[in-house]
Amino acid sequence: MLNALEVFTTVIVGLMVGVEFSVAFVMNRIFNALPEDSGQLGRAHGGRMLGAVMPVWYIGSLVLVAVWAFAGWSHDGAGLVVTAGGLLILSVIMSILLLVPINNRSKTWTPDNRPADWKQQTNRWDRFHYVRVAVIVAAFALLVAALA
């Protein structure tokens, strides 16, 4: 049963990492290359869509890692799982304090109502997101290592 939990958790976290990596290095570059206001509108839509899904995914991943750490406490790799859980906690804190406030504003922006500094706010979100992606990639790598 523990093996199934380990694999399931690793897959769920890995998929989350893939989505966030894609946002950072694929989707945002596509949006930035679109003409006129299309990119900003695309980012706003993405913020609404992923803003509804990602909190559940982040918290669900953290819960799965916590269950794995508890259930596998006496097994090899428990320290790696606990460290991965700590990194996921850091990613949730970063999200709540740094990324969500910007996302909550930007997901309502249109070309008619966006603030004058919208590009600076978007760039700030991107920088925070790059750090968050690095944190969750590290958490995922630790989970993979714990499987070995």
Side-chain angles (χ1 to χ4, degrees), residues 9 12-13 54-66 88:
T9 301
I12 294 299
V13 172
M54 296 316 286
V56 175
W57 209 338
Y58 272 81
I59 298 300
S61 294
L62 181 55
V63 168
L64 286 169
V65 169
L88 291 177

Side-chain angles (χ1 to χ4, degrees), residues 10-91:
T10 303
V11 168
I12 294 299
V13 172
L15 290 171
M16 180 179 73
V17 167
V19 168
E20 293 291 33
F21 187 90
S22 176
V23 166
F25 298 103
V26 178
M27 296 308 301
N28 285 346
R29 290 186 180 181
I30 291 170
F31 292 147
N32 291 341
L34 292 174
E36 299 176 18
D37 296 320
S38 300
Q40 186 262 307
L41 292 169
R43 287 178 76 114
H45 181 66
R48 288 188 299 275
M49 197 173 97
L50 291 174
V53 174
M54 296 316 286
V56 175
W57 209 338
Y58 272 81
I59 298 300
S61 294
L62 181 55
V63 168
L64 286 169
V65 169
V67 170
W68 176 359
F70 180 77
W73 186 250
S74 62
H75 293 83
D76 290 339
L80 296 172
V81 176
V82 170
T83 305
L87 289 173
L88 291 177
I89 289 170
L90 176 61
S91 74

